[in-house]
Amino acid sequence: SNATRFLVKANGDIDITGNLDAQGGVDVTGNITVTGTTTLSDDLNVDSGTLFVDVSSNRIGINQSSPSTNLDVVGNASFSGGLTVNSNLTVSGTCNLGQTVSITGTNPRLQFVDTNHNSDYSIYGSNGRFTIYDDTNSAERFKMESTGYVNIGTGTAQQQLTVQNSAQHSLI
């Protein structure tokens, strides 16, 4: 065919029609514009690990050239939209949450876990009740009923404020 497959223009631009197979690599100074799907069969490393795509493990690193999870970010990240996590979310260090934090589910619970991984206390809401639960001793320590009655200790609140000891004696 008489079609031009490789053309060097007067301004220095090069037009290639078809595939470019470069065995020794290609060095480019300036911009590259790609139209269409780009397929890489080996890792992509931009600016020495600023963005790294590991094709053998299907992992992406940002400021991380050896990503250990599907998305491994070293440094701060900012989301201007929502972030949805459909499994566990693990945060090590300080977590600052602004505005409203919603925990949903049948028995939504916030657990306080100490350094030896014992769940010492939980705060949860269920059926209109608010409860502080002692996970270590399997006991409700504080409960506000849907009626507004408050119980401290064991048992059920019989009046606006009920304080009971373990022998079920009302102290107030």
Side-chain angles (χ1 to χ4, degrees), residues 107-147:
N107 292 301
R109 170 178 270 189
L110 178 62
Q111 285 187 311
F112 295 88
V113 180
D114 63 21
T115 55
N116 63 1
H117 303 293
N118 291 328
S119 300
D120 290 339
Y121 282 91
S122 295
I123 297 174
Y124 67 91
S126 176
N127 298 319
R129 292 189 323 181
F130 172 81
T131 305
I132 297 177
Y133 188 77
D134 179 346
D135 288 304
T136 303
N137 296 299
S138 301
E140 292 179 339
R141 298 300 184 193
F142 175 94
K143 180 171 42 177
M144 184 185 319
E145 303 286 348
S146 60
T147 60

Side-chain angles (χ1 to χ4, degrees), residues 142-165:
F142 175 94
K143 180 171 42 177
M144 184 185 319
E145 303 286 348
S146 60
T147 60
Y149 287 10
V150 174
N151 182 48
I152 300 174
T154 59
T156 302
Q158 303 298 319
Q159 51 196 13
Q160 286 184 330
L161 177 62
T162 303
V163 179
Q164 297 177 337
N165 64 14

Side-chain angles (χ1 to χ4, degrees), residues 51-90:
L51 173 66
F52 188 87
V53 179
D54 185 336
V55 298
S56 63
S57 64
N58 292 325
R59 294 178 174 169
I60 298 172
I62 298 175
N63 288 328
Q64 173 61 276
S65 58
S66 299
S68 60
T69 59
N70 289 346
L71 177 60
D72 194 343
V73 179
V74 175
N76 296 331
S78 177
F79 297 90
S80 61
L83 173 65
T84 301
V85 178
N86 292 320
S87 187
N88 295 329
L89 174 64
T90 302

Side-chain angles (χ1 to χ4, degrees), residues 20-60:
L20 171 64
D21 187 3
Q23 297 296 319
V26 176
D27 292 329
V28 177
T29 301
N31 297 327
I32 297 176
T33 302
V34 178
T35 304
T37 301
T38 302
T39 302
L40 300 174
S41 59
D42 205 347
D43 295 343
L44 171 66
N45 190 351
V46 177
D47 193 31
S48 299
T50 298
L51 173 66
F52 188 87
V53 179
D54 185 336
V55 298
S56 63
S57 64
N58 292 325
R59 294 178 174 169
I60 298 172

